[in-house]
Amino acid sequence: MTVHDVQNEFDRRGISVDQVGITGLRYPVAFDDGEVQQSAIADFTVTVRLQPERRGTHMSRMVALVHEHLQVLDPRRLPQVLKIGMDELEAPSIEITAGFSLTRTVTAPASHRESITVHDVAIIASLDDASCAVTSAVRSEVTSLCPCSKTISDYGAHNQRSQITLAVQGTADDPYPLPARTALDLLDGTGSAPVIPLVKRSDERVLTMQAYDHPAFVEDMAREVAGACRSRGLAHEVRVRNFESIHSHDAVATINGGASRGWL
């Protein structure tokens, strides 16, 4: 029995659709970027640009693309996957976004007890007739101690947990120039002290004094990350948010270092 393909019907309105596709597709993946191999559940969005004469796109082919080509999620292979998807969907452009959690084992500074931190990771890849772009974003948390509070107080200084997000845009020759683990190491060294899930009293003493010795504003942390990316020649965007401890608002800072599109 022949089933009529409604999506391929001619549309007379003559209006193209910038993005159409699927979102919220949760799928098991094996993340492998050459440095880290880890299983995860990724949240996928797959969209294409729809030509004005076409009524619809084939969304089942998008699920098939994830199933057949992205269960091993390697950012370095995404340009090839995009080309496959664009051909199979007969589309002039395609974009794939995958968000997932990456875990790392961290060690407390004094007790040497181990615990696990969880980080948000996003990979955004797009392809059209003109260019291919792959952007990878990671998020980590650090402690920041206020330099102003330290300076004006007779003793003590307020500190808070800070969230740093870094997006790095690849190039045609190197779509994934900063691996996730390297990016997270960079972010962890930016604040006043690291955030560690499992700390004993001896660790708390070390971390508290470390933060006091290394005060940092959101501006300082954003500039430190941006400077490290500039020294590597990376197009990037960084955003820092302080979950303030003595204010009723949070503090934020963002730097776009040559990224062609704001991701954060």
Side-chain angles (χ1 to χ4, degrees):
M1 182 180 68
T2 302
V3 179
H4 179 61
D5 190 347
V6 179
Q7 288 94 329
N8 268 342
E9 289 180 351
F10 182 80
D11 195 284
R12 300 180 182 278
R13 286 163 286 193
I15 301 173
S16 62
V17 181
D18 294 330
Q19 286 187 306
V20 57
I22 62 173
T23 191
L25 174 66
R26 302 182 70 212
Y27 228 75
V29 298
F31 178 71
D32 184 353
D33 68 352
E35 289 191 3
V36 175
Q37 295 81 39
Q38 197 168 116
S39 297
I41 301 295
D43 191 320
F44 282 98
T45 295
V46 183
T47 60
V48 296
R49 182 159 57 88
L50 188 65
Q51 302 92 322
E53 70 278 6
R54 296 192 60 175
R55 183 175 180 185
T57 188
H58 293 84
M59 297 186 186
S60 62
R61 296 181 188 178
M62 298 174 178
V63 179
L65 182 70
V66 172
H67 181 79
E68 295 167 8
H69 299 284
L70 290 172
Q71 287 196 64
V72 176
L73 182 54
D74 184 344
R76 300 165 297 176
R77 287 193 60 252
L78 282 174
Q80 298 97 297
V81 176
L82 290 168
K83 182 63 170 61
I84 293 170
M86 199 162 74
D87 290 343
E88 292 185 350
L89 288 155
E90 301 173 335
S93 70
I94 184 171
E95 182 170 297
I96 299 173
T97 300
F100 56 96
S101 295
L102 192 67
T103 63
R104 293 190 303 159
T105 300
V106 294
T107 304
S111 69
H112 306 296
R113 297 286 296 272
E114 290 186 342
S115 54
I116 293 175
T117 56
V118 180
H119 306 273
D120 295 327
V121 178
I123 309 293
I124 310 102
S126 61
L127 175 66
D128 57 27
D129 293 333
S131 64
C132 176
V134 178
T135 299
S136 53
V138 298
R139 178 175 294 158
S140 190
E141 292 182 334
V142 298
T143 297
S144 62
L145 184 133
C146 178
C148 183
S149 176
K150 176 179 177 179
T151 300
I152 66 177
S153 300
D154 291 336
Y155 48 87
H158 85 80
N159 59 71
Q160 55 273 319
R161 191 162 40 89
S162 302
Q163 186 182 78
I164 310 177
T165 308
L166 171 64
V168 172
Q169 184 176 302
T171 64
D173 295 330
D174 188 1
Y176 186 63
L178 190 68
R181 184 166 59 191
T182 304
L184 290 170
D185 288 342
L186 168 62
L187 300 188
D188 286 351
T190 300
S192 303
V195 168
I196 298 176
L198 175 58
V199 293
K200 307 299 287 184
R201 284 188 295 273
S202 57
D203 303 309
E204 189 170 353
R205 181 176 188 273
V206 171
L207 293 171
T208 301
M209 292 192 297
Q210 180 181 341
Y212 191 80
D213 290 337
H214 299 88
F217 290 127
V218 286
E219 299 94 326
D220 295 320
M221 293 184 283
R223 285 172 170 149
E224 284 296 315
V225 176
C229 290
R230 287 183 182 183
S231 68
R232 292 171 166 86
L234 300 173
H236 64 280
E237 186 177 13
V238 57
R239 178 178 174 86
V240 182
R241 177 175 180 176
N242 279 2
F243 298 99
E244 292 289 335
S245 60
I246 67 169
H247 304 295
S248 61
H249 58 266
D250 291 341
V252 294
T254 302
I255 295 174
N256 187 310
S260 60
R261 173 176 169 182
W263 294 108
L264 305 181

